[in-house]
Amino acid sequence: MTRIGFAYNQKPEPESADAAAELSRADEEPPSSGASNGSATATLRAPAPAPDDEYAEWDSAETIDAVARALARHGEVIRLEARDDFPERLRAEQPDIVFNIAEGLRGPNREAHVPAICEFYGIPYSGSDPFTLALCLDKARTKEILRANGVPTADWALARDASDVERIVARGWGYLLFAKPVHEGSSKGITERNLAKGEEALRAIVLDLLERYDQPVLVETFLPGPEFTCGVLGNGASARVLPIVGMNFDSLPAGALPIYGFEAKWLWDRPENPLEIFSCPARIPETLRAEIEDVVLRAYAVLGCRDWSRIDVRLDAAGRANIVEVNPLPGILPDPADNSCLPKAARAAGLDYDALIGAALAAAAARQGVVLGSVA
Ligand SMILES: Nc1ncnc2c1ncn2[C@@H]1O[C@H](COP(=O)(O)OP(=O)(O)OP(=O)(O)O)[C@@H](O)[C@H]1O
Ligand SMILES: [Mg+2]
């Protein structure tokens, strides 16, 4: 039987001491909006303490169990949590292939560590390679590659320190700007207050993000149009875009900005009161669908994505599709009640959760000549 290693990082359970400490720290940094003017925003905010976003990228036990169940249809699953002992355990187990969803422990190249270790031991693995994972975790470098290859993305500047901030502010951009930490995902550090209206606001936001996230800050022109996210499955000529997910910003609390940031992902979307934020397939004209798919597949190719990804797109003031960012390790919450774009797009294409995981695994296996079993 095929032996499938399964690499992941599991979120600490709330009852664990560490997590409790993290949650109690959350009050120091409420991710609430300074920009919103709506009182409805305040009343709709969850009564529970705001979660600290440190572990926002890691997966829950529920997701990990669901992926393990899906993988078990194709072989024996060997769980390899990506902790400090991962290299030794991987080396000892020698699986035929590793299915990788590990977000990594530390540093701006954290998503690249598990694939790099697999490569070191010559063990096949799923998903993008260390280079692409590290590249896509640097949103500025990603944009350089996109721009160099003619794939549309918003104009930007990178602030590494306070003097950069002054240089960027002095440019006098004259339009709305959006700032975000350059190396994060899951909307860590992306709240409504990141939209800068004017020089003073820009300076304050960028200096604040530099200090709190201890990494450069990407300043981009704000893309004012509708937002979409696209799941991609497969490789080379057979890479395909799943039905496009459109964001219904009307579902956000009154007065909220039309962005899918920390508040929308983690505060306003509660199991007891879910946001109806996605529509899939997005109701858009055929020409726009074709344009978005083209831009997304070009981004996937030039960045070297493999097997699967989720790619965010927004329209600029002229209505043209621009890449916002690329997620080669996409979020995959299993419960259809949860707002998770890739599983949702897959369902719209007729692929249930197990079929989605199976498709990513099959794409990885085919590329590397690994034969998968079929377990009854
Ligand atoms: N230049 C921009 N113009 C307009 N909105 C933007 C821009 N950049 C980011 N946003 C908004 O902020 C949201 C989060 O940004 P982004 O996708 O870069 O963050 P992320 O944390 O990597 O997201 P994910 O949860 O998809 O990993 C976007 O979905 C979009 O709504
Ligand atoms: Mg995103």
Side-chain angles (χ1 to χ4, degrees):
M1 182 155 35
T2 312
R3 300 176 70 248
I4 304 170
F6 175 29
Y8 57 89
N9 286 109
Q10 184 166 339
K11 241 180 231 191
E13 294 299 326
E15 61 268 23
S16 86
D18 272 5
E22 292 304 328
L23 285 172
S24 69
R25 268 193 8 215
D27 285 347
E28 293 165 19
E29 185 198 284
S32 58
S33 156
S36 168
N37 54 13
S39 56
T41 305
T43 52
L44 268 169
R45 188 162 297 136
D52 188 287
D53 62 8
E54 188 162 350
Y55 295 108
E57 295 174 322
W58 289 12
D59 288 297
S60 66
E62 186 195 1
T63 299
I64 291 160
D65 289 346
V67 174
R69 273 194 303 276
L71 295 175
R73 297 170 76 140
H74 306 281
E76 178 196 351
V77 178
I78 303 151
R79 290 187 183 223
L80 299 168
E81 187 166 5
R83 293 183 304 225
D84 289 355
D85 62 354
F86 176 79
E88 294 94 304
R89 294 202 51 222
L90 177 70
R91 186 167 181 223
E93 292 288 354
Q94 293 285 324
D96 297 305
I97 189 166
V98 169
F99 192 80
N100 177 37
I101 64 166
E103 299 279 347
L105 289 182
R106 48 186 87 90
N109 297 309
R110 59 190 176 273
E111 292 186 357
H113 293 163
V114 160
I117 293 164
C118 292
E119 283 190 0
F120 187 83
Y121 290 125
I123 296 173
Y125 60 90
S126 69
S128 297
D129 75 2
F131 176 76
T132 294
L133 289 167
L135 175 64
C136 293
L137 205 48
D138 184 323
K139 290 177 180 169
R141 285 283 157 85
T142 300
K143 288 166 74 73
E144 286 173 13
I145 304 278
L146 294 173
R147 182 64 64 89
N149 286 279
V151 181
T153 190
D155 286 342
W156 76 97
L158 192 64
R160 291 185 185 78
D161 53 30
S163 66
D164 281 349
V165 178
E166 290 315 313
R167 196 174 40 77
I168 291 169
V169 168
R171 281 195 191 184
W173 299 65
Y175 31 82
L176 289 179
L177 296 173
F178 197 76
K180 54 192 181 185
V182 78
H183 288 303
E184 299 297 350
S186 301
S187 280
K188 290 171 76 165
I190 303 184
T191 70
E192 292 204 342
R193 60 187 166 194
N194 297 31
L195 178 68
K197 298 171 184 157
E199 287 180 10
E200 271 316 307
L202 181 63
R203 183 181 290 111
I205 290 160
V206 179
L207 289 174
D208 178 55
L209 289 174
L210 278 174
E211 191 183 316
R212 283 193 298 130
Y213 285 88
D214 194 25
Q215 61 187 283
V217 173
L218 181 65
V219 178
E220 289 184 289
T221 57
F222 186 70
L223 296 164
E227 179 163 333
F228 306 93
T229 191
C230 298
V232 184
L233 270 184
N235 293 305
S238 53
R240 62 170 172 140
V241 181
L242 295 172
I244 296 173
V245 177
M247 304 284 167
N248 305 320
F249 291 126
D250 291 349
S251 69
L252 298 181
L257 289 176
I259 60 166
Y260 191 44
F262 190 85
E263 297 94 338
K265 282 174 193 148
W266 305 108
L267 298 181
W268 297 332
D269 190 17
R270 314 296 298 185
E272 65 280 9
N273 190 13
L275 277 184
E276 296 296 323
I277 190 150
F278 301 141
S279 57
C280 184
R283 286 179 291 276
I284 50 176
E286 185 60 20
T287 47
L288 178 58
R289 185 186 63 76
E291 179 186 333
I292 292 173
E293 289 188 1
D294 173 63
V295 168
V296 161
L297 286 176
R298 280 159 58 206
Y300 191 81
V302 300
L303 295 167
C305 297
R306 295 194 309 212
D307 304 333
W308 65 354
S309 287
R310 210 199 75 236
I311 300 185
D312 296 343
V313 171
R314 274 178 86 108
L315 305 192
D316 62 19
R320 305 313 304 249
N322 279 245
I323 300 292
V324 173
E325 56 122 13
V326 174
N327 299 284
L329 275 183
I332 42 168
L333 303 184
D335 184 348
D338 286 327
N339 274 335
S340 189
C341 296
L342 185 63
K344 194 174 200 82
R347 281 194 297 278
L351 300 173
D352 66 12
Y353 194 77
D354 287 4
L356 168 65
I357 302 298
L361 176 68
R367 220 175 13 85
Q368 296 166 103
V370 175
V371 178
L372 294 174
S374 172
V375 179

